Amino acid sequence: MENPSSGIRGAIEENTLAILDASEATKHTRDADDDRIAFLEAVRAASLLPENKSPPTFKMCEAIFKILRFGKSLELISTSYQLLNELDRRFPRVYVTNANGSSMSHELVVLQEAWTPFVLGTDISDSERATNDLTGGLLDPLGFHLLLQGLAEVSDVENFQALDTKVLSNMLLFHYLVSVLEGDFVPRNQMYKETLNWILVRESLLNMILCSRKMNFKGLMKDCLTTLCGLGHFLAEYDNAVRFSETSLVKQPEAIDTALAIAFLHFGRIACDAMLKLMVMVMELDSSKKDADMQGHTTRADGVRTPLAEIIQDELTYDKNILSPFLQVFKDSKWKLEIIVQFFWKYISKPSVRTRRSNGPAEDATFSRVLKCISNSSSTKSITKKIGAHAIHLLLAHGFQAFLLLSAKQTVEGLPDSKEQVAGGSIVETCKNLISVFNCLKTLDKQLEISSCAKEAIFVAATIMSKKL
């Protein structure tokens, strides 16, 4: 007997051709938008209801994606965004399954013909893509970069006063694209760690986009960093302005539609979360690539690029204005601590004689070791000249917070050795050395004002020591 949902899907497929028509891309009448909403509801009924579990076709997904990209109303872009995410969760393109029913053996399943919003081939020229942008809908690596650059402009006050649904659409679009990259990369990277099969990660959407000849990797990552810091800082200020009406941003509420302004706060946070997620994935990719390279599994075709963690360290070094915003918005404890440790490690004087085993920073550089290296007056004075007291306050406070979060996580998960030896060092020793560094800073400059975040770190460290001793 024929599956009833296949008939529904066939009817929707026919209507999809009309939705994909070029004239529809620029037609935004009330009737046209009603047709799009009806289409989205029909797809949901055909694919997501318990009795209907048939995946939508490529054209149907492309039509939903077009509505997200070019929709003019909050209802359209929100509904299409939610539907795409629900469909991806129900019908993943890449997933890990138990091989032969065994929980000890896993297998990676990749549905090559499944929907993806990215075009990674070279069969379409840039001129053709520019001409057919409204009808094509899909994004290539250059389009992904341009989308991110467009989000950077939102944090400008003048651009914000001209806020419209296109900005909101781009925020949700970026978050959806990063979710697609995550759904493809995470299971591949998980299987790589089990099998050491580098090809699984090499063929990920994320790696192929970053390796594309159309993509300027370092430029993309710098734009991601500056946008994360700029947009995150702007959202925090705007949120305070809305609550307390203390800044000039809300002195002209009539210039901005209230619904758009509220949506901007919510969608803006979603976009920032996506940027953070993208950066973490790239650093995980860099880590796996480094491991594969050490194992001799990479080839010249994999290319060579500067790891993202090093790019971030360089940007924080040369642009001190983004140090505080970065530490506030970058929430991933693992990579935050890694970046802070490597930042310090560049400026710490190393012993001139080193053994072969200790020749790499990965074995030497931990937060506890950094604190130990700079917890005397001479070393504190040396690194203060290189970094500055204010930067040291911020880095140590945020590094200590990340250290404690990782320590708590490792303690909950259980350690085979000692519960005290976590996150690269003893908690008590780390607290002791942290207080020593701040005491040295205060001794060097009697007039030095301890920042609020540093005071909090010192208080927590002293409290932990009093309970442990």
Side-chain angles (χ1 to χ4, degrees), residues 60-299:
M60 290 161 64
C61 290
E62 186 177 13
I64 303 170
F65 187 69
K66 276 187 58 180
I67 293 174
L68 173 58
R69 282 200 67 183
F70 308 116
K72 296 293 185 180
S73 71
L74 286 175
E75 181 182 16
L76 276 176
I77 60 179
S78 299
T79 305
S80 56
Y81 163 79
Q82 182 179 6
L83 180 57
L84 283 171
N85 281 291
E86 290 178 0
L87 290 171
D88 284 352
R89 286 194 294 268
R90 175 70 71 89
F91 307 105
R93 179 176 181 269
V94 180
Y95 58 93
V96 175
T97 186
N98 296 333
N100 301 321
S102 172
S103 59
M104 302 298 294
S105 179
H106 300 111
E107 180 180 354
L108 187 73
V109 178
V110 181
L111 305 178
Q112 298 291 352
E113 301 301 320
W115 152 256
T116 172
F118 293 103
V119 176
L120 300 176
T122 57
D123 53 327
I124 302 178
S125 67
D126 290 338
S127 60
E128 290 175 330
R129 183 158 299 284
T131 302
N132 299 316
D133 187 37
L134 288 177
T135 57
L138 307 184
L139 286 173
D140 62 4
L142 177 60
F144 182 67
H145 193 173
L146 292 175
L147 175 65
L148 175 59
Q149 288 178 330
L151 294 179
E153 300 175 0
V154 179
S155 58
D156 182 88
V157 175
E158 292 183 359
N159 290 336
F160 176 74
Q161 297 291 354
L163 183 66
D164 59 16
T165 53
K166 182 60 179 175
V167 173
L168 304 179
S169 173
N170 286 342
M171 287 177 171
L172 292 186
L173 174 63
F174 182 76
H175 185 272
Y176 172 68
L177 294 174
V178 172
S179 296
V180 171
L181 295 177
E182 180 186 31
D184 178 81
F185 172 74
V186 171
R188 289 176 180 273
N189 201 44
Q190 175 187 338
M191 284 301 299
Y192 166 72
K193 292 178 180 179
E194 293 184 14
T195 65
L196 298 182
N197 182 359
W198 168 244
I199 295 178
L200 298 178
V201 179
R202 177 192 292 161
E203 294 179 348
S204 67
L205 291 173
L206 178 63
N207 187 63
M208 288 190 289
I209 287 175
L210 298 181
C211 291
S212 171
R213 288 176 296 177
K214 295 182 178 181
M215 174 64 69
N216 181 331
F217 170 73
K218 185 172 289 189
L220 175 71
M221 293 297 100
K222 286 183 178 180
D223 287 338
C224 197
L225 175 61
T226 55
T227 303
L228 175 66
C229 295
L231 184 57
H233 179 69
F234 180 81
L235 285 169
E237 285 197 341
Y238 178 70
D239 193 23
N240 290 334
V242 170
R243 291 181 181 181
F244 306 109
S245 301
E246 291 179 349
T247 73
S248 60
L249 292 178
V250 293
K251 289 182 179 179
Q252 295 179 332
E254 67 278 355
I256 308 171
D257 183 88
T258 302
L260 291 180
I262 294 174
F264 171 78
L265 283 174
H266 178 59
F267 294 175
R269 295 189 188 100
I270 287 176
C272 284
D273 289 343
M275 287 175 220
L276 174 59
K277 187 178 295 184
L278 175 62
M279 295 172 71
V280 169
M281 279 195 294
V282 173
M283 287 187 282
E284 293 287 354
L285 172 61
D286 289 339
S287 178
S288 294
K289 185 178 180 181
K290 179 181 178 181
D291 180 68
D293 187 54
M294 294 176 64
Q295 300 290 335
H297 297 156
T298 58
T299 66

Side-chain angles (χ1 to χ4, degrees), residues 13 53 139 155 159 268 274 292 314 318 347 365 390 397:
E13 177 80 6
K53 298 183 180 181
L139 286 173
S155 58
N159 290 336
D314 290 341
Y318 297 113
Y347 299 100
H390 177 68

Side-chain angles (χ1 to χ4, degrees), residues 189-446:
N189 201 44
Q190 175 187 338
M191 284 301 299
Y192 166 72
K193 292 178 180 179
E194 293 184 14
T195 65
L196 298 182
N197 182 359
W198 168 244
I199 295 178
L200 298 178
V201 179
R202 177 192 292 161
E203 294 179 348
S204 67
L205 291 173
L206 178 63
N207 187 63
M208 288 190 289
I209 287 175
L210 298 181
C211 291
S212 171
R213 288 176 296 177
K214 295 182 178 181
M215 174 64 69
N216 181 331
F217 170 73
K218 185 172 289 189
L220 175 71
M221 293 297 100
K222 286 183 178 180
D223 287 338
C224 197
L225 175 61
T226 55
T227 303
L228 175 66
C229 295
L231 184 57
H233 179 69
F234 180 81
L235 285 169
E237 285 197 341
Y238 178 70
D239 193 23
N240 290 334
V242 170
R243 291 181 181 181
F244 306 109
S245 301
E246 291 179 349
T247 73
S248 60
L249 292 178
V250 293
K251 289 182 179 179
Q252 295 179 332
E254 67 278 355
I256 308 171
D257 183 88
T258 302
L260 291 180
I262 294 174
F264 171 78
L265 283 174
H266 178 59
F267 294 175
R269 295 189 188 100
I270 287 176
C272 284
D273 289 343
M275 287 175 220
L276 174 59
K277 187 178 295 184
L278 175 62
M279 295 172 71
V280 169
M281 279 195 294
V282 173
M283 287 187 282
E284 293 287 354
L285 172 61
D286 289 339
S287 178
S288 294
K289 185 178 180 181
K290 179 181 178 181
D291 180 68
D293 187 54
M294 294 176 64
Q295 300 290 335
H297 297 156
T298 58
T299 66
R300 293 180 62 184
D302 288 302
V304 178
R305 64 171 180 262
T306 304
L308 175 56
E310 293 183 19
I311 295 175
I312 294 174
Q313 292 161 29
D314 290 341
E315 291 299 300
L316 297 180
T317 299
Y318 297 113
D319 187 357
K320 295 295 174 58
N321 292 327
I322 68 171
L323 179 61
S324 179
F326 171 78
L327 293 174
Q328 291 176 6
V329 300
F330 197 88
K331 303 296 185 182
D332 186 272
S333 298
K334 171 189 172 182
W335 285 107
K336 187 176 189 177
L337 187 61
E338 175 71 15
I339 291 168
I340 290 173
V341 166
Q342 294 302 329
F343 188 94
F344 274 115
W345 205 246
K346 289 194 303 182
Y347 299 100
I348 293 176
S349 299
K350 316 297 190 306
S352 57
V353 178
R354 300 169 63 82
T355 65
R356 177 179 300 178
R357 183 175 181 180
S358 65
N359 197 37
E363 293 183 347
D364 286 340
T366 65
F367 187 66
S368 298
R369 185 171 177 83
V370 164
L371 291 175
K372 186 175 182 179
C373 288
I374 63 175
S375 59
N376 59 75
S377 57
S378 59
S379 59
T380 303
K381 182 177 181 180
S382 174
I383 201 162
T384 301
K385 289 181 178 179
K386 298 173 183 177
I387 299 178
H390 177 68
I392 292 177
H393 279 196
L394 290 174
L395 290 165
L396 289 182
H398 284 273
F400 184 59
Q401 180 186 53
F403 171 84
L404 291 179
L405 289 173
L406 288 176
S407 299
K409 179 180 179 182
Q410 292 180 29
T411 302
V412 170
E413 293 176 352
L415 294 174
D417 299 320
S418 169
K419 292 184 179 181
E420 280 294 306
Q421 195 72 21
V422 290
S426 163
I427 294 180
V428 173
E429 181 184 3
T430 300
C431 293
K432 178 182 177 181
N433 289 331
L434 179 78
I435 294 174
S436 296
V437 174
F438 281 115
N439 286 337
C440 290
L441 287 170
K442 189 66 176 177
T443 302
L444 288 173
D445 185 357
K446 302 294 184 179

